[in-house]
Amino acid sequence: MRYPFLAGAAVIVMTAALAACGSSSDEKAEKSAAAGPAASSGPEAGSGSPSTTDPQTSSATSEPPKLPETELTPATGSFTKKQKEYLVDRVPKGMDPAAVLQTGQETCDRLTYLVKVDRDTAVGAIVTGEIADAKPAVAHLCVQHQDLVERAAGGYADGTYEGRQLRPGRYRDVTPTKTCSWQIAGANGKDLASGSSDDGKRTAITIPRAARAFTSTGCYAWLPEGDNG
């Protein structure tokens, strides 16, 4: 048996629901139009305006601020003049200056030890950066090793050097591996000298004034001989 009045009621309910939805959509459209462009969002809203950088994001990527010289004081005792000179602009805020000083002193201790073992090895460790920040540590905390730093300034670590990086002269490698190889190239890449070592023995080479590039692989470091450095 069919019930016509139920079907009619359903039609009435659906019609009312559709009317309500249409009214709601119209109200939203009217509100959006009244709000204007300022209410819109998304990438296009900011097009045409200069980009800005968040100061907090910018400061997070920069180096942390350093402790002022007037605050470079240990928890107990005091720093010597040379120690304080070493610490200037090297201690991040919030860090104990004594801890930074200890790092510099450990650099000096390593150099002292290596000099006793082999002087060239000590210089090579500076050339390669194996002993980092040796120059400031030596300048203020262990000046007796200044000659090591000066000689290291004329050396070469493994890598490729060109143009003004080249210093003509005679060089000797330091603790080379059995896969040590090198090449000296002139204009247009012309091979002026090259070689390799499979026995790990030290080798001497000469970089001529005509050299335009010097490449070293597996040789650790090259130190100047005689008056090169």
Side-chain angles (χ1 to χ4, degrees):
M1 180 182 294
R2 295 184 178 181
Y3 299 90
F5 68 92
L6 290 177
V11 170
I12 293 173
V13 170
M14 291 177 64
T15 302
L18 290 172
C21 291
S23 176
S24 175
S25 299
D26 292 341
E27 289 178 0
K28 289 181 179 179
E30 291 175 0
K31 289 181 180 179
S32 177
S40 63
S41 60
E44 293 182 359
S47 61
S49 60
S51 60
T52 57
T53 303
D54 185 349
Q56 294 183 351
T57 303
S58 179
S59 61
T61 58
S62 61
E63 290 187 3
K66 298 297 189 295
L67 203 64
E69 185 176 354
T70 54
E71 297 181 24
L72 294 175
T73 55
T76 58
S78 60
F79 293 128
T80 65
K81 181 181 178 181
K82 285 293 185 180
Q83 289 174 336
K84 199 164 187 177
E85 288 175 352
Y86 171 76
L87 293 172
V88 171
D89 294 329
R90 300 182 67 84
V91 184
K93 282 189 175 182
M95 181 175 286
D96 183 3
V100 177
L101 178 63
Q102 182 178 354
T103 299
Q105 291 175 332
E106 288 174 353
T107 294
C108 290
D109 291 342
R110 289 186 66 189
L111 287 174
T112 299
Y113 170 77
L114 288 176
V115 165
K116 292 179 180 178
V117 176
D118 181 74
R119 196 173 194 83
D120 283 352
T121 300
V123 178
I126 298 175
V127 172
T128 61
E130 183 178 337
I131 296 183
D133 295 328
K135 187 175 181 178
V138 168
H140 300 292
L141 305 177
C142 48
V143 294
Q144 70 272 23
H145 296 316
Q146 186 61 42
D147 62 319
L148 303 180
V149 173
E150 291 175 355
R151 190 177 180 210
Y156 295 100
D158 279 335
T160 298
Y161 303 86
E162 300 176 335
R164 294 183 179 181
Q165 295 176 315
L166 297 176
R167 295 174 293 272
R170 190 166 177 80
Y171 296 83
R172 183 174 293 277
D173 56 13
V174 181
T175 60
T177 67
K178 291 186 178 181
T179 57
C180 171
S181 63
W182 65 92
Q183 180 186 34
I184 301 171
N188 300 319
K190 180 181 178 181
D191 186 8
L192 300 181
S194 59
S196 61
S197 174
D198 57 2
D199 56 9
K201 292 183 179 181
R202 298 184 63 177
T203 305
I205 62 173
T206 298
I207 298 180
R209 294 190 179 279
R212 295 295 180 268
F214 168 56
T215 300
S216 170
T217 304
C219 304
Y220 184 63
W222 297 86
L223 304 184
E225 291 187 340
D227 297 331
N228 294 359

